[in-house]
Amino acid sequence: MSAQGNIILAIVEGPSDATALVDPLSKLLRNSQLRDLIADGDITLRYLYAKSHPGMTGSNMEKVMTKLIDADIKRRHVYVRNDVTAVIQILDLDGAFVPDGHVSQDEGLEERRYTENSILTPNAMETIRQNHEKQKNIRSLISMKDIRLGRRDVPFHSFYMSRNLEHVIWDEKKQLEPEGKSACAKRAFRRYVQHPEELLDLLRSPEVMHGFKSFEESWNWPQVADNSLARGSNLGFLLDVLDPQNM
């Protein structure tokens, strides 16, 4: 084990998620540090990122996670496998579980738009195909309870943000450009890094947690009807699913 030790890796899609969430949430842990691992995209749609994620396309989700971690270790040289005591993943749902009939084609659009109960897209068939792929891989991640790192199995948990980070934190329903996402993330960091308990209160609020009684139950909600387009998250269960010594 290196000097780092007791690291909980947080695999996130992009830098905005890392900025807004990782440092504030890490301050809630007493005996571990949360360290971000930016996947540079939605790894549940890894076939779309074959060039940026070589070798991922044919792998199952556990192997994908392991490859991401090993690549991060090699790139950063600041921790080793034995430092990792748990791995979490924070996913944007982006309406992935909506019924196919709620995906509508509008060839006048350049990119997707979201409403409360539908996805508008320039290519409905491609969006449906992506949704099915994402559903399959998310369900695989939900079923994973641990991940093999070297000769050890360490706990693994997937959390979701619905529809995405900005929707959960700021109730922002519009699809933001990268500059807007970055600005929202920095605003969240400034607000919550000194008061991480306020972030936890938000994540546990009725508007976000929807009365879930357990982490396991919380994954049922986004898979029903149009809920994966609505505001919601199960990240409020973070401390409950990690080792109690971190609480």
Side-chain angles (χ1 to χ4, degrees), residues 19-232:
T19 299
L21 298 172
V22 172
D23 281 350
L25 291 175
S26 187
K27 291 196 171 189
L28 297 170
L29 304 175
R30 294 182 180 178
N31 300 312
S32 298
Q33 60 173 308
L34 203 61
R35 179 180 291 276
D36 65 83
L37 192 168
I38 299 174
D40 293 325
D42 185 349
I43 204 64
T44 65
L45 296 175
R46 60 195 184 279
Y47 74 92
L48 297 176
Y49 303 97
K51 291 183 179 180
S52 58
H53 294 96
M56 300 279 187
T57 306
S59 302
N60 63 37
M61 291 311 297
E62 181 176 359
K63 289 182 179 178
V64 168
M65 298 297 112
T66 302
K67 288 179 179 180
L68 281 174
I69 293 167
D70 285 344
D72 192 61
I73 290 171
K74 184 177 180 179
R75 178 175 61 87
R76 293 210 264 187
H77 300 288
V78 292
Y79 69 98
V80 298
R81 279 179 167 185
N82 284 342
D83 292 329
V84 180
T85 57
V87 178
I88 68 170
Q89 184 175 24
I90 304 173
L91 300 159
D92 286 348
L93 293 184
D94 297 322
F97 290 98
V98 301
D100 292 352
H102 291 208
V103 178
S104 299
Q105 183 153 317
D106 184 340
E107 295 179 0
L109 295 175
E110 294 184 359
E111 58 185 23
R112 290 188 194 184
R113 291 183 184 174
Y114 299 91
T115 72
E116 291 183 358
N117 57 13
S118 66
I119 300 175
L120 307 178
T121 172
N123 188 332
M125 291 303 296
E126 177 61 18
T127 297
I128 290 170
R129 183 170 79 98
Q130 291 178 12
N131 282 353
H132 290 180
E133 177 77 5
K134 186 160 182 164
Q135 291 170 22
K136 178 188 72 174
N137 288 324
I138 287 176
R139 289 180 175 129
S140 176
L141 290 167
I142 296 170
S143 70
M144 286 173 51
K145 305 305 179 186
D146 50 49
I147 185 170
R148 190 75 173 174
L149 292 181
R151 298 181 178 180
R152 299 182 305 129
D153 291 324
V154 301
F156 176 87
H157 306 283
S158 286
F159 299 88
Y160 64 82
M161 308 292 272
S162 181
R163 183 171 36 87
N164 56 26
L165 172 72
E166 297 79 30
H167 198 178
V168 172
I169 300 298
W170 300 116
D171 198 17
E172 175 58 71
K173 298 179 178 64
K174 294 186 297 183
Q175 188 74 353
L176 299 179
E177 297 296 328
E179 295 80 5
K181 286 178 172 287
S182 178
C184 282
K186 290 175 182 176
R187 183 156 55 107
F189 174 83
R190 289 192 297 268
R191 177 169 180 173
Y192 295 121
V193 74
Q194 297 301 326
H195 303 283
E197 69 283 353
E198 293 183 7
L199 175 59
L200 190 60
D201 287 344
L202 170 66
L203 294 171
R204 290 177 171 176
S205 67
E207 296 82 5
V208 173
M209 192 171 273
H210 296 283
F212 311 140
K213 301 300 182 183
S214 69
F215 173 71
E216 290 74 20
E217 175 192 1
S218 71
W219 265 111
N220 296 330
W221 177 83
Q223 300 182 64
V224 174
D226 302 319
N227 287 348
S228 60
L229 288 169
R231 186 188 187 200

